[in-house]
Amino acid sequence: MLPKSQPFEGIPFKQCAVVGNGGILTNSSCGAEIDQSDFVFRCNLPPIWGNAVADVGNKTDLVTVNPSIIALKYGKLSEMKTAFLRNLTSYGYAFLLLPAFSYSSNTAISFEVHHLLKKYQAKQRAIFFHPNYLKSLAQFWRGRGVRAYRLSTGFMITSAAIELCKDVKLYGFWPFSKNLNGKPISHHYYDNQLPKPGFHAMPKEFYQVLQLHYKGVLKLQIGACQKR
């Protein structure tokens, strides 16, 4: 079931977009720019259809899947397999990255997604972070002051993108309730559901993202994108 080598072809990718789900994306007109990237990372099965496309695009090469989404939205796939597979069609041939080895409670549901995709010959393919990679990543950032119950999905994907891509640009990473002009914005571009308090070290993560931006390791898009 587990691959003998990493699943990506053509690495390092040239231009990558890591698309967070921040409300800062609303009315950003960044969709076209995101879709022009060579490889697009997305987080936690976000909606990429309808009016949102103009702001977030719809090209997806890898999308993470939080097991809590499978549990809450799809009843742990016990009765809602068809709805889950139908909604996945929006992501084309994307890799589905699941945290199978981050906690033992995530393993069974992650394997269930893998087997479901294989059984129904879905276009998507399930992949997992190697447990040693997760451990090394946590230790690396802990040594730089990011101490939390768990790194956020967006921060983990950003770290992986830096390793896989020559140029990385982040969209939708903004952990504040107001934009640069002081206008209130929702937590996500599709809802205002806040994260569990104390679960992630979001301010410290964002500080590290800013440091990477200032050092030229990646680019952080905060305002609206220029229309081309």
Side-chain angles (χ1 to χ4, degrees):
M1 190 176 90
L2 302 177
K4 290 182 170 56
S5 61
Q6 61 86 12
F8 305 115
E9 296 180 2
I11 57 173
F13 304 115
K14 186 176 180 181
Q15 178 65 49
C16 293
V18 181
V19 187
N21 298 328
I24 196 76
L25 277 170
T26 302
N27 298 322
S28 67
S29 300
C30 286
E33 183 175 306
I34 290 170
D35 285 349
Q36 288 177 358
S37 304
D38 298 309
F39 199 93
V40 179
F41 301 82
R42 297 186 187 272
C43 301
N44 296 333
L45 299 179
I48 51 170
W49 48 80
N51 295 332
V53 173
D55 295 327
V56 305
N58 57 16
K59 179 180 180 180
T60 308
D61 296 286
L62 182 150
V63 60
T64 66
V65 183
N66 192 321
S68 64
I69 296 175
I70 304 297
L72 296 173
K73 194 172 180 179
Y74 299 103
K76 295 185 179 180
L77 300 179
S78 58
E79 298 177 354
M80 303 182 68
K81 294 182 176 67
T82 302
F84 176 67
L85 291 169
R86 182 173 60 247
N87 288 346
L88 286 185
T89 59
S90 301
Y91 306 104
Y93 289 89
F95 290 102
L96 266 58
L97 178 58
L98 297 115
F101 307 116
S102 57
Y103 299 102
S104 58
S105 58
N106 291 340
T107 307
I109 190 66
S110 297
F111 285 3
E112 175 69 16
V113 172
H114 167 82
H115 292 307
L116 185 68
L117 297 180
K118 295 277 285 186
K119 179 179 179 180
Y120 291 94
Q121 299 180 332
K123 295 178 180 180
Q124 302 78 26
R125 176 182 170 189
I127 57 174
F128 313 126
F129 270 130
H130 194 289
N132 289 348
Y133 179 79
L134 291 174
K135 183 178 180 181
S136 297
L137 196 63
Q139 289 177 340
F140 177 85
W141 287 116
R142 193 178 300 120
R144 285 152 182 79
V146 183
R147 296 180 177 87
Y149 185 72
R150 187 176 72 83
L151 296 175
S152 71
T153 300
F155 198 58
M156 292 167 69
I157 288 298
T158 297
S159 301
I162 292 171
E163 299 179 60
L164 293 169
C165 310
K166 292 182 178 179
D167 297 305
V168 176
K169 191 165 185 179
L170 269 55
Y171 303 82
F173 281 73
W174 186 252
F176 308 109
S177 59
K178 295 181 180 180
N179 63 17
L180 288 172
N181 298 321
K183 182 180 178 181
I185 55 176
S186 60
H187 186 67
H188 297 132
Y189 69 83
Y190 49 85
D191 67 28
N192 198 33
Q193 184 174 347
L194 300 177
K196 295 180 181 178
F199 199 72
H200 300 308
M202 300 303 288
K204 292 181 179 179
E205 287 187 359
F206 191 68
Y207 173 78
Q208 292 297 331
V209 167
L210 287 176
Q211 293 300 305
L212 293 170
H213 172 80
Y214 289 131
K215 292 175 182 177
V217 177
L218 53 74
K219 294 180 181 178
L220 177 64
Q221 178 70 35
I222 294 177
C225 293
Q226 293 183 349
K227 295 183 179 180
R228 300 181 181 181

